Amino acid sequence: MGRYVAQRIGQALLVIWLAYTVIFVAVQLLPSDPVTIFLSTDSAVDQATIDNMKRQYGYDQPLLVQYLAQLGGLFTGDVGYSLASGEPVALRISGVAGSTIALALSAFATAVVLALAVVVVATLTRSALLRKVVLNLPPLFAAVPVFWLGLVLLELLSIRWGVMSLFPDGSFLSLAVPVFVLGVHVSAPIAQVLLKSIDTVYNQPFIDVLRAKGASASWIFFRHALKNAGGPAMTITGITVGTLLAGSVITETVFARSGLGAVVLQAVTTQDVPLVQGLVLLTASVFVAVNLAVDLLYPLLDPRILKSNGQGSPRALAV
């Protein structure tokens, strides 16, 4: 187990380093340095001011020095300073991240509940019509854009019916509606993969044995099928983190919530490259961390991963 955990952590750190390197190279490929880009819209700024800011932010140093200095700063939580406000990027992000994290976690929990509800009804119902309707829900959820569903619900609940404020006011609906909007979209891939995995498990011989012994449909589903089908569902759950984060930003913008969405919008609008760079690195780090957690949970579902001495791919074995 120790070797397996060490390998997964090592791979996660390698991916974060590669993500940082790609981000750094992408910034260097911009038409000019971040300071010049940031001040390009202000005609009153002279060249001396630009050169002074370059020295202050370290953009006058050779590329290798910049790369190593920024890489070293990651170990202390220093990811640079915002050009717009002058405050540390980490402090700027952490100040609003709590709202986005709460939205994302709530939406994820909602997505899991919706996905499980779809799978349970589709698997255990005896009505062919109901099963057909439920099976069409995940593709429908995936096809509906987050921003469109959010705008439609705002139009209905706020403007037409007047039961919800256009702006966050701390009421139940102002919290629940954004969570539902994001959760619906995220639930689609989880439900689709879980349905496919459940069908695969039901085709296994041990299911026939359980039925021959008189086990009920619900007992087979909850005690055996759901656990054996959990691996692929966990994989897609890790992959949907990117969708969850992007959807959180869009949802916050639609519902005027304070969070990373507002910071992203401000950073892009003002061309605050260090802040954008920090946000991209944060997204990559969260994605890696969640997928690391998924990899570490795989042995609980499939002990074969540990028997392969850590060399087997948990994603491959799960599928």
Side-chain angles (χ1 to χ4, degrees), residues 33 35 47-61:
D33 62 272
V35 171
Q47 188 60 43
T49 302
I50 295 177
D51 293 339
N52 183 51
M53 286 191 65
K54 286 182 182 180
R55 286 191 298 271
Q56 182 179 356
Y57 285 92
Y59 292 116
D60 61 331
Q61 300 293 325

Side-chain angles (χ1 to χ4, degrees), residues 1 3-4 7-8 303-312:
M1 183 65 180
R3 181 180 179 183
Y4 174 81
Q7 285 182 339
R8 297 299 169 234
R304 293 178 299 167
I305 297 171
L306 298 181
K307 293 180 180 179
S308 64
N309 295 321
Q311 300 298 324

Side-chain angles (χ1 to χ4, degrees), residues 83-100:
L83 294 174
S85 63
E87 64 180 328
V89 170
L91 183 62
R92 179 74 178 94
I93 293 175
S94 62
V96 297
S99 175
T100 302

Side-chain angles (χ1 to χ4, degrees), residues 51-255:
D51 293 339
N52 183 51
M53 286 191 65
K54 286 182 182 180
R55 286 191 298 271
Q56 182 179 356
Y57 285 92
Y59 292 116
D60 61 331
Q61 300 293 325
L63 292 183
L64 181 59
V65 175
Q66 293 184 41
Y67 177 82
L68 294 177
Q70 294 180 22
L71 181 61
L74 295 181
F75 294 98
T76 59
D78 180 10
V79 289
Y81 291 83
S82 168
L83 294 174
S85 63
E87 64 180 328
V89 170
L91 183 62
R92 179 74 178 94
I93 293 175
S94 62
V96 297
S99 175
T100 302
I101 292 174
L103 173 62
L105 291 178
S106 300
F108 177 74
T110 302
V112 171
V113 171
L114 287 174
L116 287 175
V118 168
V119 172
V120 169
V121 174
T123 304
L124 299 181
T125 184
R126 296 182 179 180
S127 171
L129 177 60
L130 179 59
R131 174 178 169 80
K132 184 177 181 180
V133 171
V134 172
L135 288 177
N136 283 304
L137 289 180
L140 177 62
F141 292 165
V144 175
V146 173
F147 71 90
W148 181 86
L149 181 59
L151 291 174
V152 169
L153 290 179
L154 274 178
E155 168 71 20
L156 294 176
L157 298 176
S158 299
I159 298 177
R160 294 195 179 183
W161 299 337
V163 297
M164 186 182 79
S165 173
L166 277 172
F167 302 97
D169 59 357
S171 64
F172 173 76
L173 285 179
S174 68
L175 298 174
V177 174
V179 169
F180 173 76
V181 168
L182 184 55
V184 165
H185 188 75
V186 175
S187 70
I190 300 176
Q192 288 176 314
V193 172
L194 192 53
L195 283 169
K196 179 63 177 177
S197 300
I198 290 290
D199 288 341
T200 301
V201 171
Y202 270 101
N203 289 327
Q204 299 298 317
F206 78 92
I207 296 295
D208 295 330
V209 173
L210 292 173
R211 287 170 175 163
K213 291 182 177 181
S216 65
S218 59
W219 193 86
I220 293 175
F221 176 81
F222 288 107
R223 293 292 299 273
H224 295 277
L226 193 59
K227 178 181 178 180
N228 284 276
M234 287 178 60
T235 299
I236 197 64
T237 298
I239 295 174
T240 56
V241 171
T243 302
L244 185 64
L245 292 175
S248 297
V249 171
I250 296 173
T251 303
E252 287 177 339
T253 303
V254 171
F255 289 94

Side-chain angles (χ1 to χ4, degrees), residues 9-27:
I9 294 176
Q11 291 175 359
L13 294 176
L14 177 62
V15 172
I16 292 177
W17 171 70
L18 290 174
Y20 161 76
T21 302
V22 170
I23 295 170
F24 180 85
V25 171
V27 171

